[in-house]
């Protein structure tokens, strides 16, 4: 059974299936509703139900309090229709957003390679490669068998690439990443849904760009940088990329080659725990330390894109602000676990 879902203030009416969440229906129609954890914990997707009835699903009583339910609020990631609905949401308008509809895709694992001691590169050849259209910086939800469910991974390849590349770090105790690292093999069938996320380059601003990445957080910046260079973006682009040891610094040679080929691209690798006698002659310390030194603590006139572990992102935000780059010019990609989602966020920042 299907219902009608009208989304205000757009005035757009779409179809929503019984049992489908409001968020999923909107994303599959190409309508972006703000969201983060997708597990009813963080309250980012809170909306108003103007008309109709919903099943609230597994919304946390902290993210959606009883009095808010009585006021007609729900969480779009959990709420499912019980009638036709009219909702009101904060619709984010951005001239650079492509607003691509979420779809389901299937393909075959073409190859798997060890990029570092803890990160695997997985290349997927889709049944219809041309069908998957995404904006550099977005991610997919990979479908894993055996009751594992879905896991979110940023796309590391550029739009239009023959194969979809994912860079996946093994998480201690994690069923999903353990399966990928230990069981998944070339030739296996696999599927995913996407694209998801609002992490993309604001190209229309026409200002120099800073990318700050750590760990497997390199995936989104790599896709964005490859896309920018391929289309001839000619303003300065700087990648500050950090790992602990040289063995973990994957795609290092590729970025050196890109910097040699493109005069507007600068690559600043940094190692935080490399032995002093290793012969490493690049920056030492954390990503935010290397960025502060490279830019002489002055980030004005840039837009910054951050992707990596939460502590790295927080340190980078602090450094950027001290160097006079503020919220409107700083963008982050965050994958929230249940523990992350329940942490108190600062009331000072809406976007980051």
């Amino acid at each position: 059974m299907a219902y009608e879902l009208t989304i205000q203030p757009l005035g757009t009416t779409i179809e929503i299936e019984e049992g489908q969440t409001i968020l999923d229906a909107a994303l599959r129609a190409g309508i972006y509703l703000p969201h983060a954890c997708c597990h009813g914990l963080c309250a980012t997707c809170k909306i108003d139900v103007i008309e109709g009835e919903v099943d609230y699903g597994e919304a946390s009583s902290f993210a959606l309090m009883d009095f808010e339910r009585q006021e007609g609020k729900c969480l779009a990631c959990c709420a499912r229709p019980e009638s036709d609905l009219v909702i009101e949401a904060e619709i984010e308008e951005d001239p650079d957003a492509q607003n691509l509809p979420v779809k389901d895709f299937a393909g075959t694992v073409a190859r798997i390679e060890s990029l570092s001691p803890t990160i695997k590169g997985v290349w997927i050849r889709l049944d219809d490669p041309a069908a998957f259209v995404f904006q550099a910086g977005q991610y997919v939800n990979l479908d894993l068998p055996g009751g594992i469910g879905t896991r979110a991974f940023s796309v590391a390849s550029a739009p239009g690439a023959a194969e979809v590349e994912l860079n996946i770090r093994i998480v201690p105790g994690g069923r999903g990443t353990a399966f990928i690292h230990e069981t998944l093999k070339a030739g296996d069938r696999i599927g995913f849904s996407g694209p998801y996320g609002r992490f993309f380059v604001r190209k229309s601003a026409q200002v120099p760009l800073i990318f700050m990445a750590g760990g497997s957080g390199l995936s989104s910046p790599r896709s964005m940088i490859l896309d920018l260079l391929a289309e001839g973006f000619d303003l300065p682009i700087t990648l500050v990329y950090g790992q602990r040891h040289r063995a973990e610094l994957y795609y290092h040679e590729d970025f050196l080659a890109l910097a040699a080929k493109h005069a507007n691209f600068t690559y600043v690798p940094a190692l935080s725990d490399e032995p002093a006698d290793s012969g490493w002659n690049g920056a030492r310390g954390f990503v935010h330390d290397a960025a502060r030194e490279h830019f002489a603590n002055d980030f004005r006139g840039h837009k910054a894109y951050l992707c990596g572990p939460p502590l790295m992102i927080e340190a980078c935000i602090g450094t950027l602000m001290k160097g006079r780059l503020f919220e409107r010019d700083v963008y982050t990609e965050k994958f929230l676990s249940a523990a992350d989602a329940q942490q108190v966020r600062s009331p000072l920042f809406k976007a980051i």
Side-chain angles (χ1 to χ4, degrees):
M1 181 177 181
Y3 297 104
E4 288 189 343
L5 170 64
T6 301
I7 302 174
Q8 301 290 7
L10 296 178
T12 302
T13 299
I14 62 175
E15 190 173 272
I16 180 171
E17 296 292 333
E18 183 177 12
Q20 184 179 25
T21 68
I22 292 173
L23 178 62
D24 186 64
L27 294 178
R28 289 180 180 273
I31 299 171
Y32 181 83
L33 301 183
H35 62 281
C37 76
C38 295
H39 297 293
L41 297 169
C42 72
T44 304
C45 64
K46 192 175 295 180
I47 56 175
D48 291 296
V49 179
I50 307 302
E51 296 179 16
E53 300 294 328
V54 299
D55 176 349
Y56 293 97
E58 298 180 356
S60 160
S61 59
F62 294 98
L64 186 70
M65 297 184 181
D66 289 341
F67 77 87
E68 292 179 305
R69 299 174 192 233
Q70 294 170 5
E71 291 176 351
K73 298 183 185 299
C74 70
L75 301 185
C77 73
C78 294
R80 294 171 168 82
E82 294 184 334
S83 69
D84 291 341
L85 295 173
V86 178
I87 66 166
E88 187 170 17
E90 291 187 20
I91 304 296
E92 297 181 357
E93 298 289 345
D94 193 304
D96 293 294
Q98 293 182 15
N99 295 318
L100 300 166
V102 169
K103 299 179 181 180
D104 298 312
F105 301 91
T108 302
V109 177
R111 57 193 170 105
I112 300 176
E113 296 180 7
S114 292
L115 300 177
S116 82
T118 59
I119 297 173
K120 295 277 190 184
V122 178
W123 284 262
I124 301 171
R125 185 182 302 114
L126 296 178
D127 296 342
D128 182 3
F132 179 51
V133 179
F134 73 101
Q135 199 163 2
Q138 291 189 293
Y139 68 93
V140 299
N141 279 337
L142 194 65
D143 300 319
L144 300 177
I148 296 174
T150 62
R151 296 293 187 273
F153 300 108
S154 296
V155 181
S157 46
E163 298 171 347
V164 177
E165 179 186 350
L166 307 176
N167 299 161
I168 299 170
R169 181 179 66 87
I170 191 164
V171 177
R175 290 181 64 202
T177 60
F179 171 84
I180 293 166
H181 275 247
E182 299 168 8
T183 305
L184 189 69
K185 62 184 184 300
D188 286 351
R189 295 288 293 171
I190 199 161
F192 63 76
S193 61
Y196 294 97
R198 295 287 270 192
F199 193 55
F200 54 84
V201 178
R202 274 62 180 180
K203 299 176 183 178
S204 64
Q206 284 295 294
V207 297
L209 307 174
I210 304 170
F211 294 92
M212 304 169 76
S216 59
L218 180 66
S219 298
S220 290
R222 179 173 183 263
S223 178
M224 297 155 97
I225 290 167
L226 291 175
D227 184 49
L228 289 165
L229 295 176
E231 71 175 24
F233 186 87
D234 58 2
L235 291 172
I237 302 170
T238 303
L239 169 64
V240 186
Y241 165 40
Q243 290 279 21
R244 292 175 302 169
H245 311 294
R246 174 63 187 88
E248 298 174 327
L249 201 66
Y250 71 102
Y251 284 135
H252 177 64
E253 288 77 13
D254 288 8
F255 286 120
L256 289 175
L258 284 174
K261 181 178 179 181
H262 299 275
N264 64 317
F265 175 59
T266 301
Y267 171 49
V268 183
L271 300 178
S272 62
D273 198 24
E274 179 72 358
D277 59 353
S278 69
W280 171 253
N281 58 9
R284 291 179 180 269
F286 296 105
V287 170
H288 63 282
D289 297 321
R292 180 174 55 242
E293 182 176 349
H294 181 79
F295 286 94
N297 200 34
D298 187 351
F299 302 101
R300 289 175 294 179
H302 292 79
K303 283 192 178 291
Y305 299 85
L306 320 181
C307 196
L311 288 177
M312 186 216 87
I313 288 179
E314 295 304 317
C316 288
I317 290 172
T319 296
L320 290 170
M321 293 186 67
K322 290 176 183 176
R324 303 186 67 183
L325 193 71
F326 302 108
E327 182 183 7
R328 69 177 184 179
D329 293 315
V330 179
Y331 305 91
T332 68
E333 178 65 297
K334 296 179 179 178
F335 294 135
L336 297 178
S337 68
D340 294 328
Q342 295 182 79
Q343 291 178 359
V344 177
R345 295 178 63 188
S346 168
L348 298 176
F349 306 116
K350 179 179 180 181
I352 60 177

